[in-house]
Amino acid sequence: MEENYTVIPQYLRGSEYIRTPNSDGKYWARDQLQFIAGMKMHIYVLHDDTVKRPEFLVSDYKDTGDNIKVGNVVMSIFHRVAEAGESIIMAGNSDGDAPKVW
């Protein structure tokens, strides 16, 4: 799904990003993403608030109060600063059992 991000906050311009495919819209996982910050960096996470905010987001990130529209979904923007060498963990999108029916 191609999107033209023409209206984004200035602090996101020039950023690198990871975006999951549109076909993963109903993907369920307990997986987690983990990486080591190679240098001090600003990390932003866009979250669809039609679903519950995961614990890692609430505890480790601050809601900037800004939003961005991706397709037809309005996403809240969260931020944190990671120091060089810090381990960053982003938990999966569900803590419960796999849904029986999508």
Side-chain angles (χ1 to χ4, degrees), residues 1-4 6-7 13 18 32 40 43-45 55 63-64 67 72 74 77 80 82 88 92-94 99:
M1 181 172 80
E2 292 187 26
E3 293 293 333
N4 185 1
T6 56
V7 181
R13 295 183 187 265
I18 299 170
Q32 68 181 22
K40 183 175 182 176
I43 303 171
Y44 294 92
V45 175
E55 182 58 36
D63 189 337
T64 65
N67 298 314
N72 294 322
V74 176
I77 303 173
R80 74 170 280 189
I88 309 301
N93 65 0
S94 180

Side-chain angles (χ1 to χ4, degrees), residues 3-61:
E3 293 293 333
N4 185 1
Y5 302 100
T6 56
V7 181
I8 63 172
Q10 183 64 33
Y11 56 84
L12 291 179
R13 295 183 187 265
S15 298
E16 295 183 30
Y17 64 94
I18 299 170
R19 182 170 170 226
T20 59
N22 191 47
S23 60
D24 283 349
K26 293 186 177 185
Y27 177 72
W28 175 91
R30 278 193 209 153
D31 299 345
Q32 68 181 22
L33 170 68
Q34 182 173 11
F35 63 93
I36 305 295
M39 62 179 70
K40 183 175 182 176
M41 62 177 60
H42 291 263
I43 303 171
Y44 294 92
V45 175
L46 277 58
H47 182 265
D48 176 358
D49 282 327
T50 62
V51 296
K52 183 180 174 185
R53 292 178 175 181
E55 182 58 36
F56 83 89
L57 193 62
V58 174
S59 63
D60 297 343
Y61 293 76

